[in-house]
Amino acid sequence: QQRKHQEIRAMRSQLKKIEDLGAAMEEALILDNKYTEHSTVGLAQQWDQLDQLGMRMQHNLEQQIQARNTTGVTEEALKEFSMMFKHFDKDKSGRLNHQEFKSCLRSLGYDLPMVEEGEPDPEFESILDTVDPNRDGHVSLQEYMAFMISRETENVKSSEEIESAFRALSSEGKPYVTKEELYQNLTREQADYCISHMKPYMDGKGRELPSAYDYIEFTRSLFVN
């Protein structure tokens, strides 16, 4: 991306030649050019737009690399976010309207309620408060990626915190927790829920340990989008 952007920048000198030729033609009072439909001003505007697009794409890629390196968000997750955005960006404008954005979130596993047009939608509105606070009606790729990265990072942190809490319940920090440890440290309702949703712990040889539950698999399953 950086190399391509540098190539575009290097072509600015070609545009300068066209602008000089255009100025010379104007001085000679040649105002119509039957050999092209393009104008010097139009070419300059298109070049500026391409240059701006290159800078935005480069900035977005840098953000994604930074996210991958510092937040624990996987490269696969970033690719999925980006691909899903492009899928719903039908007109390739680099932004989604609110309905497209909502469809995109649902496709990524967000359980947003179905509401009739005009009805209040507080859950979605709270998301828009983050990505489109001024309600201009659109969510850019950059805003969308920042939102998805922040949500994924929150999940990673929360998952690690809950896993650590279960590890603290388990004597000697074992990778499993026993039925007795759950009932000793949690409310009855919480322990019942864990036991009904946790898988039995399997040791390295694939054997099931009596009354032992896999809290690591359980915790991570809670945070799958």
Side-chain angles (χ1 to χ4, degrees), residues 144-204:
Y144 160 84
M145 289 300 289
F147 171 76
M148 294 307 301
I149 288 165
S150 70
R151 282 299 172 97
E152 192 75 1
T153 305
E154 284 172 17
N155 283 355
V156 169
K157 287 180 180 173
S158 301
S159 174
E160 288 170 351
E161 286 167 6
I162 293 176
E163 198 173 300
S164 296
F166 275 118
R167 188 171 285 107
L169 296 186
S170 174
S171 59
E172 301 169 10
K174 298 186 299 292
Y176 60 86
V177 65
T178 65
K179 183 176 180 179
E180 291 73 24
E181 286 166 341
L182 289 169
Y183 281 103
Q184 282 171 7
N185 293 282
L186 304 175
T187 67
R188 183 170 188 82
E189 290 77 13
Q190 288 171 333
D192 285 345
Y193 179 84
C194 288
I195 285 171
S196 64
H197 288 79
M198 284 181 176
K199 291 180 180 176
Y201 179 79
M202 313 290 281
D203 68 14

Side-chain angles (χ1 to χ4, degrees), residues 28-77:
L29 300 178
I30 302 171
L31 304 178
D32 292 319
N33 185 349
K34 65 180 181 181
Y35 297 106
T36 179
E37 62 192 33
H38 299 291
S39 69
T40 306
V41 173
L43 287 171
Q45 287 175 342
Q46 288 176 19
W47 186 89
D48 284 337
Q49 287 171 1
L50 193 58
D51 185 49
Q52 291 290 323
L53 178 62
M55 284 196 292
R56 284 200 303 273
M57 289 177 69
Q58 196 168 314
H59 178 63
N60 188 44
L61 282 170
E62 286 168 358
Q63 275 194 324
Q64 292 182 41
I65 292 166
Q66 180 75 6
R68 185 190 63 193
N69 292 343
T70 62
T71 66
V73 182
T74 65
E75 193 166 355
E76 288 72 23

Side-chain angles (χ1 to χ4, degrees), residues 1 7 10 12 40 70 75 93-94 111 113-114 134 151 164 178-179 212 219-220:
Q1 172 62 36
E7 284 175 19
R12 185 70 180 83
T40 306
T70 62
E75 193 166 355
S93 65
D111 186 20
M114 301 294 289
N134 64 351
R151 282 299 172 97
S164 296
T178 65
K179 183 176 180 179
T219 303
R220 292 175 184 173

